[in-house]
Amino acid sequence: MSTIINKLVVCIVLLCYLSFFCIFLFQGDNSGTSASDDEQTFYSFRMKSGNEGYDYLRLYNGDLDRVTRRNGVQPIFALNLPDDMASLEITTRKELFFYLLLPSIVKANDVILQKRSVLETIRESEKRFARLTWNQEAFLQLLAKEYSGIADTEHLLERVDRVPVSLAIAQGAVESGWGTSRFSREGNGLYGLHFSSAGKGRYLLSRHGNVKVAAYDTIYEATVAYMHNLNTTRVYKNFRSVRK
């Protein structure tokens, strides 16, 4: 009897070991990156060849017309732009650019809209003259700090809002030359954001060293920074007013 029990214990230990090994193996192969905003895991990869990346993304997304018709794109996130972007055939380059930016734009907007949804709920409570909870008060204070504003729901609702996809794509295309600029290839500086004097993080210098362009580890991080810039800085006050 004791021999049978010992064998069962050994089998259980081996099964546990194999389970942990499989979990570790699959996590390593997926190369997922965690989004700090909502802690959801993205499937991401580093792109080397433009043509190979184009074939891969087109395989999972279908053609761009299909993506537009179903109003959706697969959550496959390229971390970077390929070095050979400029050598691609023009149509391929432009389509690849859409495939590369769309997932990040959609995701960044989703995160913003999640915060906006909570903000709208708080605003409805205020309209009913209901007492805000401690969590709601804390949320307002954190959001005000994040969006460089005051803890006022009407003020924040003008800032905490999505950026039109077409606008983000267009500005990215213009600023980066459809992903061919040095800033976009070396530092994911797709939107041409200048590095502020009080900024933290990486930047690239222009050829003559008189301009610092902000650099990012991923396309998604660059997109989040771009949208935050539109939603917070004084320069884009008119944009926010028109959007409202």
Side-chain angles (χ1 to χ4, degrees):
M1 187 69 176
S2 60
T3 303
I4 295 174
I5 293 175
N6 288 337
K7 288 182 178 180
L8 285 172
V9 170
V10 171
C11 289
I12 291 171
V13 171
L14 286 173
L15 285 173
C16 291
Y17 175 82
L18 287 173
S19 297
F20 283 117
F21 177 78
C22 288
I23 291 172
F24 175 81
L25 179 66
F26 284 117
Q27 284 180 339
D29 287 345
N30 284 337
S31 303
T33 57
S34 178
S36 58
D37 297 288
D38 58 357
E39 297 183 350
Q40 291 187 15
T41 301
F42 299 155
Y43 179 76
S44 57
F45 66 99
R46 187 161 296 280
M47 184 174 293
K48 296 180 180 179
S49 165
N51 281 313
E52 289 181 4
Y54 173 78
D55 292 339
Y56 174 76
L57 293 172
R58 187 180 174 86
L59 173 66
Y60 283 93
N61 284 294
D63 60 65
L64 284 177
D65 287 338
R66 180 185 171 195
V67 171
T68 304
R69 285 197 305 271
R70 73 175 182 227
N71 193 29
V73 63
Q74 296 298 320
I76 302 173
F77 294 75
L79 300 177
N80 64 303
L81 279 80
D83 291 332
D84 60 353
M85 199 75 169
S87 66
L88 300 177
E89 191 271 329
I90 293 177
T91 302
T92 300
R93 182 195 310 158
K94 290 184 176 182
E95 288 191 11
L96 177 58
F97 190 81
F98 274 90
Y99 288 132
L100 292 175
L101 264 67
L102 275 174
S104 290
I105 294 171
V106 171
K107 185 62 189 178
N109 268 331
D110 283 347
V111 172
I112 292 172
L113 291 178
Q114 287 171 14
K115 296 175 182 178
R116 183 178 177 85
S117 178
V118 177
L119 189 59
E120 288 173 339
T121 300
I122 295 174
R123 180 55 182 157
E124 289 302 314
S125 296
E126 289 179 341
K127 288 181 179 179
R128 299 193 308 271
F129 299 100
R131 184 182 180 88
L132 299 184
T133 66
W134 184 91
N135 285 338
Q136 288 175 325
E137 291 282 5
F139 178 83
L140 272 180
Q141 294 297 330
L142 289 173
L143 208 60
K145 184 177 180 180
E146 179 183 356
Y147 280 82
S148 308
I150 56 176
D152 175 78
T153 51
E154 284 298 321
H155 176 80
L156 287 171
L157 281 170
E158 189 169 322
R159 294 186 171 212
V160 187
D161 204 350
R162 66 188 295 275
V163 171
V165 175
S166 56
L167 175 62
I169 288 284
Q171 191 153 4
V174 170
E175 294 288 349
S176 71
W178 292 96
T180 62
S181 71
R182 178 174 67 90
F183 298 122
S184 63
R185 288 183 291 103
E186 295 181 8
N188 289 314
L190 288 154
Y191 304 97
L193 296 182
H194 286 193
F195 192 78
S196 66
S197 56
K200 296 181 180 179
R202 298 191 301 118
Y203 61 85
L204 297 175
L205 286 172
S206 62
R207 296 296 184 189
H208 300 290
N210 57 338
V211 177
K212 294 180 180 179
V213 176
Y216 306 92
D217 291 333
T218 66
I219 294 173
Y220 177 74
E221 288 181 11
T223 303
V224 170
Y226 160 70
M227 291 186 177
H228 192 262
N229 189 46
L230 290 184
N231 284 332
T232 58
T233 58
R234 186 178 301 176
V235 176
Y236 295 106
K237 182 178 180 179
N238 288 340
F239 157 72
R240 295 193 292 270
S241 178
V242 171
R243 179 179 61 183
K244 179 182 178 181

